Amino acid sequence: MSLLRSLFLLLALVLLPAVAGWHPASAQEDLETLRPLINALAEGKYQETEQQIGDLAATGNSAVAPALEALGDGDLYVRKSDKQVFIAKKSGKSYSLTDPLTLEAAGEAGSREVGKIKVNNKLRRVIRAALGSLTLMAPDPKVRKAAAEAVFKAKDPEAIESLDAAIAKETEDDVRLVMEQARAAAVLNSDRGDADKLAAIETLESMGNRDALSLLIGLQDSSEGAVRDAATTAVTRINKSLALWDNLQNVWYGLSLGSVLLLAAIGLAITFGVMGVINMAHGEMVMIGAYTTFVVQELIRSSAPGLFDYSLFIALPLAFLVSGAIGVGIERGVIRWLYGRPLETLLATWGISLILQQAVRSIFGPTNQEVGNPDWMSGAFELGQLTITYNRMWIVVFAMLVFAGLMLVLKKTPFGLFTRAVTQNRRMAASMGIRTPWIDALTFGLGSGIAGIAGVALSQIDNVSPNLGQGYIIDSFMVVVFGGVGNLWGTLVGAMTLGVVNKFLEPYAGAVLGKIFVLVFIILFIQKRPRGLFALKGRAVEA
């Protein structure tokens, strides 16, 4: 039997029982209504058998697929004593019998007790068509679509008739499109005339993806005349289209990377802009947020598994509070004694980062921890030839929400007003009664808290380990310096720009060399614009 028929049988056995409404009692009743149709295969001649095969296919029930498969393979027998039909396998001098509907063992029978139900080549073609129609005309659109996709992969010309019948009856536009594409693939693999093949080439050209390109390249090498010319033209057009889609895919990957950099850098932009502190422990705040997510998910797995899809919503405020509290503690305990001494601040925060890493290793171990994706962040969808994963899409959305929320806090609240005042002119703000030490502490806590919620997002796309933050600290500083110290709009533009540039460089230079090129570009850029893309006026500039 052909690969196509095996695929159809697998689809029939696995997918059709999933159609809504099935349960054991109703399934058993359905089997009993099918048994007379199975037994009828032993009656009559080839013409009657062809009709009986059609009647079985018309039921649309996957339970008849094993019987049809056995009939085509010559393994379907009738027991002479009661005219019951079984799947039979030779076992020594007797036959082992299997019920064709339940697939349960039905004992043994001698060679004289059973008779083989014979088929010819014509009936075998009918059987293949019947197996195809079982799935191509199934009640569930998902089953029909999966069957059409199986035909596309198999490219079996014998499925063309089944596809024609299914296309004529199909009511779902997306399923009909897949069937038409499968028919085109089968036609190109058949001995049909040039007119049919030219129409099939046009169908595959409109499909425009890499599967269609692969088929057309094969046809281009094996055909001649008008068909070869049409295939060559279609391959050229598809290649141009795919080149455009590849560029768009790189833009999407760049925006996705940019949103990750934005989440990692936006908190750093605040603390660096307000306090002028080079916080080398910022990456560890990201790491702490990721581990907070891990702890929340572990508690939910053990105590309330039904809440797992809401685990990230629970982890977000907790990660903000935990990371923010640690940030305030670091500022009050260490950094406030080192203002105006940037080298000492850098070394102190670097030491703190090592302490936090080792603390996490001691508590959770040095290996990666499992953080799961909720259902709504799992999977992907296609937009044209773009593949967009849900976790990346939601991280982009989340990054924009965090950015918008932070802008509202800084523009519309008293705390934001005080923070902007301290950023622009610390002495004047202090002379107006603003308690600049507490603004420093709260700002450092805010920046650390935002890094914590960045860790929640990064836990969905990266390994949660003690070294998680180290992979983002250098990139975060590049984003802040490139965009303009203390300017959130500059951080947004800088993150997205560097993300897109990185993704366009990677295919040509590799990930590591691409980052080196970006670093060299930033160094040269800062030589021309020391204050970055968007420079602030006031104390931050003078510093």
Side-chain angles (χ1 to χ4, degrees):
M1 300 296 286
S2 67
L3 172 63
L4 173 67
R5 204 170 77 191
S6 300
L7 289 171
F8 276 142
L9 179 63
L10 179 63
L11 285 166
L13 291 174
V14 175
L15 295 177
L16 280 174
V19 177
W22 271 53
H23 52 82
S26 63
Q28 188 62 37
E29 293 173 2
D30 289 343
L31 293 183
E32 293 309 314
T33 62
L34 295 173
R35 197 168 298 280
L37 296 176
I38 296 288
N39 292 334
L41 292 171
E43 304 171 2
K45 298 182 179 181
Y46 289 145
Q47 290 182 348
E48 287 86 356
T49 303
E50 182 176 346
Q51 178 60 45
Q52 290 151 0
I53 292 171
D55 292 341
L56 285 170
T59 65
N61 196 318
S62 64
V64 305
L68 291 176
E69 176 80 5
L71 179 62
D73 288 339
D75 293 330
L76 203 64
Y77 287 72
V78 58
R79 191 163 57 190
K80 297 176 181 178
S81 61
D82 55 5
K83 305 300 181 184
Q84 294 293 308
V85 171
F86 296 92
I87 299 172
K89 296 288 186 181
K90 188 74 172 176
S91 178
K93 295 182 179 180
S94 60
Y95 286 88
S96 298
L97 304 182
T98 302
D99 188 296
L101 292 174
T102 64
L103 301 181
E104 296 175 353
E108 294 187 351
S111 58
R112 295 184 179 181
E113 297 175 10
V114 294
K116 183 176 182 178
I117 302 174
K118 297 180 181 180
V119 294
N120 56 19
N121 289 335
K122 181 181 179 182
L123 283 180
R124 289 189 180 94
R125 287 194 294 271
V126 173
I127 291 168
R128 282 193 288 270
L131 286 169
S133 66
L134 277 173
T135 48
L136 288 171
M137 296 185 181
D140 190 344
K142 293 181 180 178
V143 177
R144 299 197 299 272
K145 187 174 182 180
E149 290 171 347
V151 176
F152 183 89
K153 293 178 181 178
K155 303 183 289 292
D156 194 335
E158 295 176 354
I160 294 175
E161 292 182 4
S162 298
L163 283 166
D164 287 337
I167 290 170
K169 295 182 178 180
E170 185 55 58
T171 57
E172 299 285 340
D173 291 340
D174 60 330
V175 178
R176 186 189 300 111
L177 178 61
V178 177
M179 288 180 176
E180 290 171 349
Q181 293 167 351
R183 184 186 185 280
V187 166
L188 293 182
N189 198 36
S190 71
D191 56 0
R192 295 209 171 193
D194 286 357
D196 287 339
K197 290 190 175 182
L198 290 173
I201 290 172
E202 186 177 346
T203 299
L204 290 179
E205 183 183 339
S206 65
M207 187 177 176
N209 61 15
R210 299 190 187 281
D211 290 333
L213 180 64
S214 177
L215 286 175
L216 291 172
I217 289 175
L219 180 66
Q220 183 182 3
D221 296 336
S222 62
S223 61
E224 55 186 24
V227 174
R228 180 190 179 103
D229 293 341
T232 301
T233 302
V235 166
T236 302
R237 291 174 179 171
I238 291 176
N239 277 325
K240 289 181 179 179
S241 174
L242 288 177
L244 175 61
W245 283 110
D246 285 344
N247 286 330
L248 291 176
Q249 187 76 65
N250 279 334
V251 170
W252 165 249
Y253 287 151
L255 293 177
S256 175
L257 174 61
S259 67
V260 171
L261 295 177
L262 176 64
L263 285 172
I266 194 169
L268 188 64
I270 298 171
T271 55
F272 199 13
V274 173
M275 304 162 62
V277 171
I278 303 174
N279 180 19
M280 295 300 292
H282 184 78
E284 278 53 55
M285 301 298 107
V286 176
M287 177 262 292
I288 288 170
Y291 272 95
T292 302
T293 308
F294 166 70
V295 171
V296 169
Q297 288 196 353
E298 286 298 297
L299 290 174
I300 288 176
R301 284 191 180 103
S302 60
S303 303
L307 295 177
F308 187 81
D309 280 348
Y310 305 97
S311 59
L312 298 187
F313 296 106
I314 299 171
L316 282 172
L318 292 176
F320 180 85
L321 291 174
V322 171
S323 298
I326 292 175
V328 171
I330 291 173
E331 196 281 334
R332 289 286 85 189
V334 178
I335 292 176
R336 70 171 176 144
W337 308 104
L338 300 174
Y339 285 132
R341 298 156 66 185
L343 180 60
E344 287 88 340
T345 303
L346 185 149
L347 292 174
T349 53
W350 179 61
I352 291 171
S353 74
L354 297 180
I355 293 171
L356 292 174
Q357 287 183 46
Q358 190 56 48
V360 168
R361 284 192 183 92
S362 300
I363 297 170
F364 298 100
T367 58
N368 296 340
Q369 301 297 335
E370 179 186 359
V371 175
N373 292 110
D375 289 341
W376 51 275
M377 286 192 74
S378 302
F381 67 95
E382 292 190 357
L383 184 63
Q385 300 300 319
L386 293 180
T387 300
I388 298 176
T389 57
Y390 284 110
N391 57 357
R392 291 279 182 175
M393 182 190 74
W394 285 118
I395 286 175
V396 171
V397 173
F398 178 66
M400 294 301 105
L401 290 176
V402 170
F403 179 82
L406 190 57
M407 289 296 292
L408 286 175
V409 169
L410 293 179
K411 297 292 185 182
K412 301 296 183 181
T413 66
F415 170 72
L417 177 63
F418 296 159
T419 300
R420 286 183 287 124
V422 173
T423 301
Q424 293 172 12
N425 194 315
R426 174 178 293 269
R427 290 183 179 179
M428 182 62 71
S431 67
M432 297 295 293
I434 297 175
R435 299 179 64 184
T436 55
W438 279 108
I439 293 297
D440 289 338
L442 293 177
T443 301
F444 202 90
L446 176 63
S448 299
I450 293 173
I453 62 176
V456 177
L458 294 179
S459 70
Q460 300 299 297
I461 59 173
D462 207 341
N463 295 323
V464 177
S465 71
N467 298 321
L468 172 65
Q470 293 299 301
Y472 295 96
I473 184 65
I474 302 300
D475 288 336
S476 297
F477 274 112
M478 286 198 298
V479 167
V480 172
V481 173
F482 178 62
V485 175
N487 191 304
L488 294 187
W489 284 108
T491 304
L492 173 64
V493 174
M496 295 304 172
T497 301
L498 295 183
V500 172
V501 169
N502 258 312
K503 286 303 176 182
F504 272 96
L505 286 176
E506 281 181 10
Y508 305 101
V512 175
L513 193 57
K515 283 193 175 184
I516 293 174
F517 286 150
V518 170
L519 179 60
V520 171
F521 164 75
I522 291 177
I523 292 172
L524 296 175
F525 178 81
I526 295 302
Q527 297 299 313
K528 292 291 184 181
R529 291 182 65 90
R531 299 171 185 172
L533 284 174
F534 299 92
L536 285 177
K537 295 180 180 180
R539 183 194 64 82
V541 174
E542 294 164 1

